[in-house]
Amino acid sequence: MPPPHHHSDLAPTNPFSLEPPTRWWRSWWRSLSPTRQDRLAAIAPLISVALFFVAIVASFWYLRTEEQDREQDALMRSVHYTQQRMRLRLLERQEQIMRLARDVATEQMGTAEFASRAETLITQYPELQAITWVNAESTVVISQAAPAVPSGQLHTPARPLPPGPTATIFAQIRKQPQSVYWQPQMDPNAAPPMLQLQVPITAGVKFLGTVLAEFSVDNLLRYTTPTEILSRYTVSMLDAQGRTLSSPGGSHAQPRLSLPWIGLQPLKAYTLPVMPVGDSLSLSAQAYRTSPGLVGNGLFWLVGSLSLLTAWLLLGTWRHTGKRLRTQEALVAETNFRRAMENSLLTGMRALDLQGRITYVNAAFCQMTGWDEAELVGQLPPYPYWPKAEYANLMLKLKEELSGKTVPGGFQIKVQRKNGTCFDARLYVSPLVDAHGQHTGWMSSITDITEPNRIRAQLAASHERFTIVLESLDASVSVAPLGSAELLFANKSYRQWFGSQTTGHLQLLQEAGIVKASPQEDDNALNLRPKARNKNAEVFWPELNKWLEVRSRYLTWVDGRLAQMVIATDITARHQAEEQAAQQAERAQAASRLITMGEMASSVAHELNQPLTAINNYCSGMLSRLDSGTLTESQMRFALEKTAHQAQRAGQVIQHIRSFVKRSEPNRAPAQVEDMVAEAMELANFELRRRNVRLSHHIAARLPPVLADAILIEQVLVNLMKNAAEAIDHGGRPEGRRSVELLVRPKTLEERPGVEFAVQDTGPGLPPQVLERLFEAFFSTKSEGMGIGLNLCRSIIESHNGRLQAQNLYNGSEVTGCCFSFWIPLAEPAALQEDKDTLPQQ
Ligand code: ADP
């Protein structure tokens, strides 16, 4: 699929031309491939969001650092200020203690006064906790303490200073009299921390002891630190090891939420030593966690999550755009597909707007009409493809079309090609509706129906031819589905003969012996085995006085149903001809029998002569005896019996000949083979005896009866035996070789059981030229021969569906005679044969 070409129409750009930056930017953008453009368009907002986020983070970081520095400065200044105040206060107290020490030294003051002044000081300055006068012997003279001081920290008068740092410092001052601050290391949990100051009492160079002043570190911090500093910072006093001695705000302030990954460090504590104490006591302050940090963090998170949201939305948009792109691609593919389809269409398409202006034509339309798209689009009626003669008609049609009167089947119009030729077309119209559901015009499709018209005409013509042929047939053709009285088809002959009902069809089937399916078996039509006794049954139709040959066929009808077609042909003429032929054949057979008898006339005469001579002899014998008067009754009885016997014999001969030559109706009936053979031998024997030929026979026992016309079969046998005797006589065979043999035996030929009759002679046999023409009518080698005997024999045997053949008999290469044999089946073949054609043929 080609990429969407929304940017592909690029103008060539000149990279060397000096153009304003926007132009340069544009030309750069256009030089990119569409896919890169899409990718950039998708990525650029993401990058800008990321950049924005980074800038926000950076500015946050910068502001935070800035603020931190400022805060650090403020903290530093506060610590300095507090330290200064603490120093001044301590120096002031030191001054007062030193004045007290001076007054003790000048001996102006007793213990009572010391006590009262010390009490005044303690009351006035809350940081002062206790003031103790220690004499030169390191013994406590008097000690004045604030009521809050725990008893464990009190110095009992008249007791030496307990050994420890205080005593050590006392010893140090004795050597080098000067004021010393000391922060004794004490367990801060056991007692509140104290700061000690020992001031020497000196008179000139004489050391008289010290005044030991003890400050509460807590109070010192509380009373010297301004309230606004205390409220802003965690202020605490640390010992030399950095351990917190006092912290009025309680525990250490929570460190600010640290964001080390954006450069924000928690604020550092700022520490300064407390002057004049020195390093053993220091002041430390740290800023509380303040709200601006929180707000800043909130903002940061807001910006962060907004950036994330924006990025997420952009990704969403990106995916959405991707989807849209794919849809667009699918749309382009679809459009291309439709265009290809449209171009490959053989149907012409034409769109009209509501005014009838052509707004679109497809390739097929142009090809069909021969006009170009440019020549057609924008045209108003009359269109160039309208034939001039049709203007009025087409204008009317167009008006209908534009008014929305669309015909579902379309209408036929004439279209003129550019070359002036016209063709028939069918026009279908459907309304054009745009994406907003607005009706914008009409789309018409036009098909060239010249070819369909031609095909239809051809089809109609061929149908007509077919109908004419079927109608003019003198056979009736009818088709009906199995088991239904519906007549699917009937031609003119059928209608003339049987009317328009199925009755004729069904009756024909019944008469023809084509067993019709019983209704119960209808649903299983394929299993039907309709039996036809004769596939081409001949039926006499008395109403029409016609002989009809009925044939039936199974066929699958156009709707898929199994149907039976019956064709009944008028065969009256043929039937009559056949009848005539049969009569003639019958006459010929009768004539042939007469001829045979004629030929055998001398034999018959000879045969009759014997009994007649005998009768004559008996009669003349009796007459002479009667005349001589010697005729006895017994002699007469004997002679009369003999005479009657001979007369009977003569009558029998005549009877045989009469029954043989008598013209009888052709009649096939089961006939006993033995009877037929005996009758034929009786007749043939006249001839054989006269010609001095012996007849022997061999007949198989228990032969079944054959369905045959006995007279005709006898005729064949007599003919064959007569021919055999004649051949032997003509051959001039010696006494020993004058014999004819008749063999009868059962034989199955082509799977059909039957009986074979063979007549063998000892004659000269059949020369090849005779064998060729043997069965021809009027072929004879005899001077007195008629040459129709064998010809008739064959037609008789063939009418019995049998076979007749002749062959020579050999002894080595010598012909010893010839054998004529015929075979006839036991039963009628048509009854045996299963009708193969009547099965449904799919
Ligand atoms: P026809 O006996 O009147 O001549 P056929 O049709 O009976 O007529 O015989 C035709 C011919 O066949 C005979 O003329 C004879 O030449 C020959 N033919 C028939 N039977 C025999 C046979 N058994 N032996 C030799 N030739 C025969």
Side-chain angles (χ1 to χ4, degrees), residues 599 719 722-724 726-727 761 765-766 770 774 779-782 785-791 818 820:
E599 283 168 352
N719 243 317
K722 182 180 76 73
N723 276 350
E726 277 171 357
D761 62 48
L766 295 158
V770 175
L774 199 59
F779 172 77
S780 176
T781 55
K782 301 160 197 167
M786 293 285 285
I788 55 163
L790 283 179
N791 175 268
C818 90
F820 277 78

Short mmCIF file of all heavy atoms in Angstrom, two decimals, residues 599 719 722-724 726-727 761 765-766 770 774 779-782 785-791 818 820, ligand 1:
data_model
loop_
_atom_site.label_atom_id
_atom_site.label_comp_id
_atom_site.label_asym_id
_atom_site.label_seq_id
_atom_site.Cartn_x
_atom_site.Cartn_y
_atom_site.Cartn_z
N GLU A 599 -41.00 -82.13 -53.80
CA GLU A 599 -39.73 -82.74 -54.09
C GLU A 599 -39.74 -84.21 -53.67
O GLU A 599 -39.10 -85.06 -54.26
CB GLU A 599 -38.61 -82.00 -53.38
CG GLU A 599 -38.25 -80.69 -54.06
CD GLU A 599 -37.35 -79.80 -53.20
OE1 GLU A 599 -37.14 -80.14 -52.01
OE2 GLU A 599 -36.88 -78.80 -53.69
N ASN A 719 -36.03 -80.94 -43.65
CA ASN A 719 -35.20 -80.33 -44.70
C ASN A 719 -33.76 -80.79 -44.60
O ASN A 719 -33.13 -81.15 -45.60
CB ASN A 719 -35.26 -78.82 -44.56
CG ASN A 719 -35.90 -78.21 -45.79
OD1 ASN A 719 -35.61 -78.60 -46.92
ND2 ASN A 719 -36.81 -77.28 -45.56
N LYS A 722 -33.43 -84.50 -45.43
CA LYS A 722 -33.62 -84.72 -46.89
C LYS A 722 -32.35 -84.32 -47.65
O LYS A 722 -31.87 -85.05 -48.50
CB LYS A 722 -34.81 -83.87 -47.37
CG LYS A 722 -35.14 -84.04 -48.84
CD LYS A 722 -36.32 -83.19 -49.26
CE LYS A 722 -36.01 -81.71 -49.43
NZ LYS A 722 -35.23 -81.38 -50.62
N ASN A 723 -31.79 -83.08 -47.28
CA ASN A 723 -30.56 -82.61 -47.92
C ASN A 723 -29.44 -83.63 -47.73
O ASN A 723 -28.65 -83.89 -48.65
CB ASN A 723 -30.11 -81.28 -47.32
CG ASN A 723 -30.85 -80.12 -48.00
OD1 ASN A 723 -31.52 -80.32 -49.01
ND2 ASN A 723 -30.72 -78.94 -47.42
N ALA A 724 -29.34 -84.23 -46.51
CA ALA A 724 -28.28 -85.18 -46.22
C ALA A 724 -28.40 -86.41 -47.12
O ALA A 724 -27.41 -86.85 -47.72
CB ALA A 724 -28.36 -85.59 -44.74
N GLU A 726 -29.95 -86.61 -49.96
CA GLU A 726 -29.66 -86.23 -51.35
C GLU A 726 -28.16 -86.16 -51.59
O GLU A 726 -27.67 -86.60 -52.62
CB GLU A 726 -30.30 -84.86 -51.65
CG GLU A 726 -31.76 -84.98 -52.03
CD GLU A 726 -32.46 -83.63 -52.13
OE1 GLU A 726 -31.79 -82.58 -51.83
OE2 GLU A 726 -33.64 -83.59 -52.44
N ALA A 727 -27.43 -85.56 -50.59
CA ALA A 727 -25.98 -85.43 -50.73
C ALA A 727 -25.34 -86.81 -50.86
O ALA A 727 -24.46 -87.02 -51.71
CB ALA A 727 -25.42 -84.68 -49.53
N ASP A 761 -24.14 -86.40 -42.06
CA ASP A 761 -24.27 -87.33 -43.19
C ASP A 761 -22.89 -87.83 -43.61
O ASP A 761 -21.88 -87.37 -43.09
CB ASP A 761 -25.02 -86.68 -44.35
CG ASP A 761 -24.29 -85.48 -44.91
OD1 ASP A 761 -23.07 -85.59 -45.17
OD2 ASP A 761 -24.93 -84.39 -45.05
N GLY A 765 -19.75 -83.54 -48.50
CA GLY A 765 -19.40 -82.31 -47.74
C GLY A 765 -19.66 -81.06 -48.54
O GLY A 765 -20.20 -81.11 -49.66
N LEU A 766 -19.26 -79.91 -47.96
CA LEU A 766 -19.56 -78.62 -48.58
C LEU A 766 -18.28 -78.00 -49.12
O LEU A 766 -17.36 -77.71 -48.37
CB LEU A 766 -20.16 -77.67 -47.53
CG LEU A 766 -21.52 -78.08 -46.96
CD1 LEU A 766 -21.75 -77.42 -45.62
CD2 LEU A 766 -22.63 -77.74 -47.94
N VAL A 770 -19.61 -73.23 -51.91
CA VAL A 770 -21.00 -73.51 -51.51
C VAL A 770 -21.23 -73.00 -50.08
O VAL A 770 -22.26 -72.37 -49.78
CB VAL A 770 -21.29 -75.03 -51.61
CG1 VAL A 770 -22.69 -75.35 -51.08
CG2 VAL A 770 -21.15 -75.51 -53.04
N LEU A 774 -24.37 -70.72 -48.89
CA LEU A 774 -25.25 -71.79 -48.47
C LEU A 774 -26.67 -71.32 -48.15
O LEU A 774 -27.65 -71.89 -48.62
CB LEU A 774 -24.64 -72.45 -47.23
CG LEU A 774 -25.13 -73.84 -46.87
CD1 LEU A 774 -24.89 -74.82 -48.01
CD2 LEU A 774 -24.37 -74.33 -45.63
N PHE A 779 -30.21 -70.40 -53.89
CA PHE A 779 -28.90 -70.96 -54.22
C PHE A 779 -29.02 -72.48 -54.13
O PHE A 779 -29.39 -73.03 -53.08
CB PHE A 779 -27.82 -70.46 -53.24
CG PHE A 779 -26.51 -71.17 -53.42
CD1 PHE A 779 -25.65 -70.85 -54.49
CD2 PHE A 779 -26.14 -72.22 -52.58
CE1 PHE A 779 -24.47 -71.54 -54.68
CE2 PHE A 779 -24.95 -72.91 -52.76
CZ PHE A 779 -24.10 -72.57 -53.81
N SER A 780 -28.71 -73.11 -55.24
CA SER A 780 -28.81 -74.58 -55.29
C SER A 780 -27.78 -75.15 -56.25
O SER A 780 -27.40 -74.49 -57.22
CB SER A 780 -30.22 -74.99 -55.74
OG SER A 780 -30.29 -76.39 -55.88
N THR A 781 -27.28 -76.33 -55.90
CA THR A 781 -26.33 -76.97 -56.82
C THR A 781 -27.02 -78.11 -57.57
O THR A 781 -26.39 -78.82 -58.34
CB THR A 781 -25.14 -77.55 -56.04
OG1 THR A 781 -25.63 -78.41 -55.04
CG2 THR A 781 -24.27 -76.46 -55.45
N LYS A 782 -28.34 -78.24 -57.24
CA LYS A 782 -29.05 -79.37 -57.84
C LYS A 782 -29.88 -78.88 -59.02
O LYS A 782 -30.40 -77.75 -58.99
CB LYS A 782 -29.98 -80.02 -56.81
CG LYS A 782 -29.24 -80.53 -55.58
CD LYS A 782 -30.19 -80.70 -54.41
CE LYS A 782 -29.42 -80.80 -53.12
NZ LYS A 782 -30.31 -80.66 -51.97
N GLY A 785 -33.23 -78.51 -57.80
CA GLY A 785 -33.32 -77.79 -56.51
C GLY A 785 -33.90 -76.39 -56.64
O GLY A 785 -33.71 -75.72 -57.65
N MET A 786 -34.61 -75.95 -55.60
CA MET A 786 -35.19 -74.60 -55.58
C MET A 786 -34.27 -73.62 -54.84
O MET A 786 -34.33 -72.43 -55.07
CB MET A 786 -36.54 -74.62 -54.83
CG MET A 786 -37.64 -75.40 -55.55
SD MET A 786 -38.28 -74.48 -56.94
CE MET A 786 -39.26 -73.28 -56.09
N GLY A 787 -33.47 -74.13 -53.93
CA GLY A 787 -32.51 -73.28 -53.19
C GLY A 787 -33.15 -72.36 -52.18
O GLY A 787 -32.60 -71.31 -51.82
N ILE A 788 -34.35 -72.75 -51.64
CA ILE A 788 -34.90 -71.88 -50.59
C ILE A 788 -34.98 -72.61 -49.25
O ILE A 788 -35.30 -71.99 -48.22
CB ILE A 788 -36.30 -71.34 -50.96
CG1 ILE A 788 -37.25 -72.49 -51.29
CG2 ILE A 788 -36.25 -70.32 -52.06
CD1 ILE A 788 -38.70 -72.08 -51.24
N GLY A 789 -34.65 -73.91 -49.26
CA GLY A 789 -34.78 -74.70 -48.02
C GLY A 789 -33.95 -74.17 -46.88
O GLY A 789 -34.48 -73.81 -45.82
N LEU A 790 -32.64 -74.08 -47.07
CA LEU A 790 -31.74 -73.67 -45.98
C LEU A 790 -32.01 -72.22 -45.57
O LEU A 790 -31.94 -71.87 -44.39
CB LEU A 790 -30.29 -73.84 -46.40
CG LEU A 790 -29.78 -75.29 -46.37
CD1 LEU A 790 -28.33 -75.34 -46.82
CD2 LEU A 790 -29.90 -75.86 -44.96
N ASN A 791 -32.31 -71.39 -46.55
CA ASN A 791 -32.59 -69.98 -46.25
C ASN A 791 -33.75 -69.87 -45.28
O ASN A 791 -33.70 -69.12 -44.30
CB ASN A 791 -32.91 -69.27 -47.56
CG ASN A 791 -33.34 -67.84 -47.34
OD1 ASN A 791 -34.55 -67.59 -47.22
ND2 ASN A 791 -32.38 -66.95 -47.26
N CYS A 818 -20.85 -84.07 -43.86
CA CYS A 818 -21.03 -82.74 -43.28
C CYS A 818 -22.09 -82.78 -42.21
O CYS A 818 -22.89 -83.71 -42.13
CB CYS A 818 -21.27 -81.71 -44.37
SG CYS A 818 -22.94 -81.43 -44.82
N PHE A 820 -24.98 -80.45 -40.20
CA PHE A 820 -25.81 -79.25 -40.03
C PHE A 820 -26.38 -79.32 -38.63
O PHE A 820 -26.97 -80.32 -38.25
CB PHE A 820 -26.94 -79.22 -41.05
CG PHE A 820 -26.53 -78.69 -42.39
CD1 PHE A 820 -25.81 -79.51 -43.28
CD2 PHE A 820 -26.83 -77.40 -42.78
CE1 PHE A 820 -25.41 -79.02 -44.51
CE2 PHE A 820 -26.43 -76.90 -44.00
CZ PHE A 820 -25.72 -77.72 -44.87
P1 ADP B 1 -31.99 -77.50 -52.69
O1 ADP B 1 -31.93 -78.66 -51.82
O2 ADP B 1 -33.32 -77.22 -53.27
O3 ADP B 1 -30.84 -77.34 -53.64
P2 ADP B 1 -31.21 -76.17 -50.25
O4 ADP B 1 -31.33 -74.73 -49.75
O5 ADP B 1 -31.84 -77.18 -49.37
O6 ADP B 1 -31.81 -76.19 -51.72
O7 ADP B 1 -29.70 -76.51 -50.41
C1 ADP B 1 -28.84 -75.61 -51.03
C2 ADP B 1 -27.58 -76.31 -51.45
O8 ADP B 1 -26.79 -76.67 -50.34
C3 ADP B 1 -27.74 -77.57 -52.16
O9 ADP B 1 -27.97 -77.41 -53.58
C4 ADP B 1 -26.44 -78.34 -51.92
O10 ADP B 1 -25.51 -78.02 -52.86
C5 ADP B 1 -26.03 -77.85 -50.59
N1 ADP B 1 -26.27 -78.81 -49.54
C6 ADP B 1 -27.34 -78.83 -48.71
N2 ADP B 1 -27.23 -79.85 -47.80
C7 ADP B 1 -26.08 -80.50 -48.11
C8 ADP B 1 -25.41 -81.66 -47.55
N3 ADP B 1 -25.92 -82.36 -46.50
N4 ADP B 1 -24.24 -82.03 -48.12
C9 ADP B 1 -23.72 -81.38 -49.17
N5 ADP B 1 -24.30 -80.25 -49.71
C10 ADP B 1 -25.48 -79.85 -49.21
#
